[in-house]
Amino acid sequence: MILATIQANPVQGALCGGLIAAGATALGTLPAWFSRGISERFQDALLGFGAGVMLAASAFSLVLPGLQAAGESGLGPWSSGSLVGAAILAGALAIMLMERWVPHEHFIKGPEGPSPARLKRAWLFVFAICLHNLPEGLAIGAAFASGHAHGVLLTTGIAIQDLPEGLVVAIALMAVGYDRTRAVLVGAGSGLIEPVGAVLGASVLVAAPLLLPVGLGFAAGAMLFVVSHEIIPESHRQGHEQHATSGLMVGFVLMMLLDTALG
């Protein structure tokens, strides 16, 4: 009964998907309780893996369904491509502007955005993680709005990449001076933005179904910006490009298989 209700209600499905992704992030932080740390090389491989999953999810779970939805609404190939392409650029621009307006700090690259002088460093890291996770939540919501199966597959892929992401966040916080408990709690809490973004994305697209191609493209653009501007530079900044790239390839193929073989 509950499953049938979720399948019939995209917003409820998106909420469940966002909570699953957030739970995966929290679960991923738990090994930090028992580990003194992981090597920088392995951290970069995990970041690369997450980037690969997000790249494949953007292409197979968001862009292609967006093009299909645009075609089903009566648009031709050029019009469909232009509409989804414009939405991709708009999604990337939105996250770019948020990066400029919200002060935050990366683990390796350092501070960005307005002057962070009045904010504690912990909050700068939290803001950076939220900026990273918001597009994932929006993507889950958009995917559920396009169909339950799309939502389940994208949730699965994002949850898989959130497991190592949670660990990397907790370990990185410990590396810059946070105690083990605080690092795990902040890492676990960082995923809570995902159900918020998922419900927001699904609610908008359910209320205005004609915006579905735009919403899917917007979520894809936001994720692509995060991958290019955040994850890949972070994973390459310590000289472990080969391991990061290997992780990216594995993550991309895994998400591609999930989406094409199971979808």
Side-chain angles (χ1 to χ4, degrees):
M1 183 68 177
I2 296 177
L3 179 59
T5 302
I6 291 174
Q7 290 176 338
N9 190 321
V11 177
Q12 290 184 0
L15 175 60
C16 291
L19 289 172
I20 289 171
T25 301
L27 184 62
T29 65
L30 294 182
W33 282 103
F34 313 103
S35 173
R36 294 183 178 179
I38 58 177
S39 68
E40 293 179 348
R41 183 179 301 169
F42 188 50
Q43 288 186 47
D44 290 341
L46 292 178
L47 286 172
F49 175 83
V53 170
M54 292 176 71
L55 284 174
S58 298
F60 296 103
S61 296
L62 296 173
V63 174
L64 290 181
L67 292 171
Q68 181 180 356
E72 291 173 351
S73 69
L75 296 178
W78 280 100
S79 298
S80 298
S82 298
L83 177 64
V84 175
I88 291 172
L89 296 177
L93 178 62
I95 302 300
M96 183 185 300
L97 293 175
M98 289 180 66
E99 285 246 325
R100 292 186 178 182
W101 294 336
V102 178
H104 56 285
E105 182 166 353
H106 301 278
F107 297 118
I108 301 170
K109 188 164 54 175
E112 281 189 343
S115 174
R118 296 184 179 181
L119 291 173
K120 292 183 179 180
R121 199 178 183 201
W123 285 108
L124 297 179
F125 283 121
V126 170
F127 289 159
I129 297 164
C130 288
L131 284 174
H132 175 107
N133 286 342
L134 179 60
E136 297 177 7
L138 292 173
I140 290 173
F144 270 101
S146 70
H148 183 75
H150 281 135
V152 171
L153 286 170
L154 187 59
T155 297
T156 301
I158 288 179
I160 289 173
Q161 72 97 18
D162 276 348
L163 287 167
E165 180 178 282
L167 176 60
V168 169
V169 169
I171 293 295
L173 286 169
M174 290 166 59
V176 295
Y178 293 88
D179 62 82
R180 196 178 304 271
T181 300
R182 192 179 182 192
V184 169
L185 289 176
V186 171
S190 69
L192 294 177
I193 192 67
E194 291 180 279
V196 175
V199 170
L200 176 63
S203 298
V204 171
L205 296 182
V206 168
L210 293 178
L211 291 178
L212 181 59
V214 175
L216 290 168
F218 185 93
M223 287 180 66
L224 289 172
F225 178 85
V226 168
V227 170
S228 176
H229 187 71
E230 305 286 352
I231 304 179
I232 291 178
E234 289 276 311
S235 66
H236 284 213
R237 205 167 286 272
Q238 302 182 94
H240 306 128
E241 295 91 342
Q242 191 169 23
H243 291 82
T245 301
S246 298
L248 184 148
M249 301 300 294
V250 172
F252 186 94
V253 170
L254 175 62
M255 186 61 200
M256 180 193 71
L257 288 173
L258 285 174
D259 210 319
T260 57
L262 300 180

